[in-house]
Each structure stands twice: as structure tokens, then as C-alpha cells.
């Protein structure tokens, strides 16, 4: 699967990225588009839009200015391949152990998930020193950056029962709840609280409902049940109207 995402299919942005952003899908689609030219929306013009067909996902969120700067409009995006992961098993707040690099064997907490590249950023590990450009008024500055790691072969989830790396799989409990289970010990690995945080650092439990918000108990209620009846049939059913007329014969020639 190619990493470069067709902008028309903006849904290739990872679900965890969109959940963390807490932004509408329409805004994400609009923000990652690089439009060259769009015809006027008039009657005598055919609707044509010329835009950059592919983008490269970086460590920055796809709707940020830093991501746009990494994807120049008139520069072709390189082809990068990413191994597809059907079921994501590592989330923000999980404890993982590094299997790669100078920090191999150390454990840390996942600070960021970049699902589009199969990357995670671990707090305080796999760091790289970057020397910033020297300014005329003073010396050059140095910045320490945590580089991302691949979830497929460079990290492993840690079992909280014995703090040892393990492979996990999704299973269902007797109550029908979907949980992560360690294949080595058989214990359930609970979901971290940080996985529910949005970009404004709010979780569903800490969010305070505003006067214009729809109450949570109303949202959970099912107000529509699909059926094969037409609108007229639904009205007749609610008003107890029975159709006694016989339809006239119809002939086809």
C-alpha cells in the first residue's frame, strides 16, 4: 500500500489521527488539499479542479502548516510504502519496549501515534540532536527531538503484569467487550486513559456539557428504526388507516 494519499480519498488519514484532532472531516479534507486552479463556479464553465494528487505524511499533523511546508505544491511526492495494519493495537499512553537503536531494551510511554506511517513517538527515547541555523545575533541553538519508531518491528507492547514485552491480540470477554489480551500470559491489557485525550487534552469524563450541547443520554437513544415502508405507509400505520380500495387493472403493451 502506498503511503502517499490521494487527496480525493482523504479518509486515508488514520482514524486515531482524526479522533485526536477532534476536528470535522470536512475541515481535514479542505486543509490537506493543495489546489493549483479551480474554474469559476458559473454556468458557462465546466467544473474543473487541478490539485496536488499525492502528499507525504510526516511527524506533523496533516492539517498543520508544518505538514504543508513539507509538501511543496510544485514538487512531486516520493513513493513510500507502508505495511498495512488492519487492527491497530498500540495507543497513546501504552508502555512499550524498544527493539531497535541505541535505546534498545529500554521502556517508555507512547506520546504520539502517527497511524499513516505506522509510527509512534516514545517519551524520552530514540532522541536525536538537531543543530538549528545560526543567527546573526547569537550562537546556534541545539534541540533534542524524539524520532518516531515503527510499530511493526521496532517496538513491542509491555505486559503490565510482569513488565515484559509480549504479542497481543484482540479478543472478546463474556460480556462482549473487545479487549487486548497478551498472548504470552493471557492477561487483559487495559486501554490507557491518554488514548481518549483530544488535542485540547480533554477526555469524555472530564468534559463539561455546555448549554447548546446535546445531552449524552439523548445521543445514545435510537430515534430512527429503518423499515421498507414508504412515508405514506408509515402515516397510515400510525393513524390506523386501512386501504380498502381495490387497485384498478393495469395493462402493458
Amino acid at each position: 500500500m502506498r503511503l502517499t494519499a490521494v487527496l480525493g480519498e482523504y479518509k486515508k488519514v488514520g482514524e486515531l489521527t482524526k479522533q485526536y484532532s477532534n476536528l470535522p472531516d470536512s475541515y481535514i479534507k479542505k486543509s490537506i488539499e493543495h489546489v493549483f486552479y479551480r474554474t469559476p463556479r458559473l454556468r458557462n464553465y465546466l467544473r474543473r479542479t487541478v490539485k496536488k494528487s499525492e502528499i507525504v505524511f510526516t511527524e506533523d499533523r496533516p492539517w498543520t502548516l508544518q505538514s504543508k511546508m513539507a509538501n511543496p505544491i510544485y514538487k512531486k511526492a516520493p513513493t513510500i510504502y507502508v505495511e498495512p495494519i488492519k487492527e491497530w493495537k498500540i495507543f497513546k499512553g501504552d508502555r512499550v519496549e524498544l527493539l531497535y537503536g541505541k535505546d534498545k531494551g529500554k521502556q517508555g510511554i507512547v506520546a504520539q501515534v502517527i497511524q499513516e506511517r505506522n509510527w509512534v513517538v516514545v517519551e524520552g527515547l530514540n532522541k536525536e540532536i538537531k543543530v538549528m541555523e545560526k543567527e546573526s545575533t547569537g550562537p546556534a541553538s541545539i534541540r533534542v527531538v524524539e524520532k518516531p519508531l515503527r510499530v511493526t518491528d521496532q517496538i513491542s507492547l509491555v505486559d503490565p503484569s510482569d513488565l515484559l514485552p509480549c504479542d497481543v491480540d484482540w479478543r472478546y470477554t463474556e460480556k462482549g467487550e473487545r479487549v487486548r489480551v497478551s498472548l504470552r500470559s493471557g492477561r487483559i491489557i487495559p486501554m490507557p486513559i491518554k488514548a481518549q485525550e483530544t488535542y485540547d487534552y480533554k477526555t469524555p469524563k472530564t468534559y463539561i456539557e455546555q448549554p447548546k450541547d446535546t445531552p449524552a443520554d439523548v445521543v445514545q437513544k435510537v430515534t430512527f428504526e429503518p423499515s421498507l415502508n414508504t412515508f405514506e405507509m408509515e402515516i397510515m400505520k400510525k393513524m390506523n388507516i386501512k386501504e380498502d380500495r381495490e387497485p384498478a387493472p393495469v395493462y402493458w403493451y
Side-chain angles (χ1 to χ4, degrees):
M1 181 182 71
R2 295 186 64 177
L3 159 72
T4 49
V6 180
L7 290 176
E9 300 175 1
Y10 71 98
K11 293 182 179 179
K12 289 186 178 180
V13 176
E15 290 297 327
L16 296 179
T17 302
K18 292 193 288 187
Q19 291 174 10
Y20 176 81
S21 70
N22 201 19
L23 298 171
D25 289 355
S26 58
Y27 173 80
I28 296 177
K29 177 184 177 181
K30 183 179 179 181
S31 60
I32 66 177
E33 283 184 339
H34 297 261
V35 179
F36 298 103
Y37 172 76
R38 181 182 286 114
T39 55
R41 296 302 186 245
L42 300 175
R43 283 186 174 182
N44 55 337
Y45 285 89
L46 291 175
R47 291 200 172 186
R48 295 288 184 269
T49 302
V50 182
K51 56 188 177 181
K52 189 180 178 69
S53 60
E54 297 177 345
I55 64 170
V56 173
F57 292 101
T58 61
E59 301 172 34
D60 302 302
R61 305 291 177 180
W63 55 85
T64 58
L65 178 62
Q66 293 80 359
S67 178
K68 289 185 178 180
M69 293 175 62
N71 289 276
I73 294 180
Y74 297 101
K75 186 176 180 181
K76 185 178 180 181
T79 301
I80 305 175
Y81 297 92
V82 177
E83 180 182 349
I85 299 178
K86 294 183 179 180
E87 296 180 340
W88 197 265
K89 301 175 183 177
I90 297 179
F91 301 88
K92 181 182 177 182
D94 279 330
R95 178 177 292 275
V96 297
E97 182 173 320
L98 271 65
L99 308 176
Y100 165 84
K102 60 182 180 180
D103 293 328
K104 181 179 179 180
K106 295 183 180 180
Q107 296 182 1
I109 305 299
V110 175
Q112 182 182 353
V113 175
I114 307 172
Q115 196 174 3
E116 298 83 7
R117 294 288 296 267
N118 292 350
W119 281 350
V120 294
V121 177
V122 183
E123 294 180 357
L125 297 179
N126 197 36
K127 294 184 292 186
E128 183 183 75
I129 297 177
K130 284 189 176 181
V131 180
M132 310 302 292
E133 294 183 2
K134 183 178 179 180
E135 299 179 358
S136 59
T137 57
S141 59
I142 297 176
R143 187 176 62 161
V144 179
V145 181
E146 298 161 346
K147 302 300 292 182
L149 297 158
R150 287 193 305 271
V151 298
T152 53
D153 58 348
Q154 294 183 348
I155 63 170
S156 179
L157 192 63
V158 172
D159 192 336
S161 62
D162 52 12
L163 296 181
L164 294 176
C166 65
D167 295 329
V168 296
D169 194 9
W170 287 103
R171 303 285 176 84
Y172 288 91
T173 61
E174 296 178 354
K175 297 181 179 180
E177 183 181 359
R178 195 165 183 257
V179 296
R180 297 179 298 174
V181 177
S182 171
L183 299 180
R184 181 172 49 79
S185 63
R187 293 180 177 270
I188 295 177
I189 301 178
M191 290 289 294
I193 298 178
K194 288 186 177 181
Q196 300 178 352
E197 289 182 351
T198 59
Y199 78 102
D200 51 4
Y201 305 103
K202 290 182 180 179
T203 60
K205 291 184 179 180
T206 58
Y207 180 77
I208 300 176
E209 291 185 357
Q210 302 300 320
K212 293 186 178 181
D213 291 344
T214 304
D217 55 347
V218 175
V219 174
Q220 295 176 358
K221 290 182 180 179
V222 179
T223 58
F224 173 74
E225 294 182 0
S227 64
L228 298 177
N229 296 332
T230 62
F231 176 74
E232 292 80 4
M233 295 170 67
E234 291 285 348
I235 297 297
M236 292 176 63
K237 184 178 180 181
K238 289 186 178 181
M239 299 182 67
N240 295 324
I241 300 175
K242 295 183 179 180
E243 181 61 69
D244 297 331
R245 297 173 298 175
E246 295 183 0
V250 178
Y251 302 95
W252 292 89
Y253 298 94

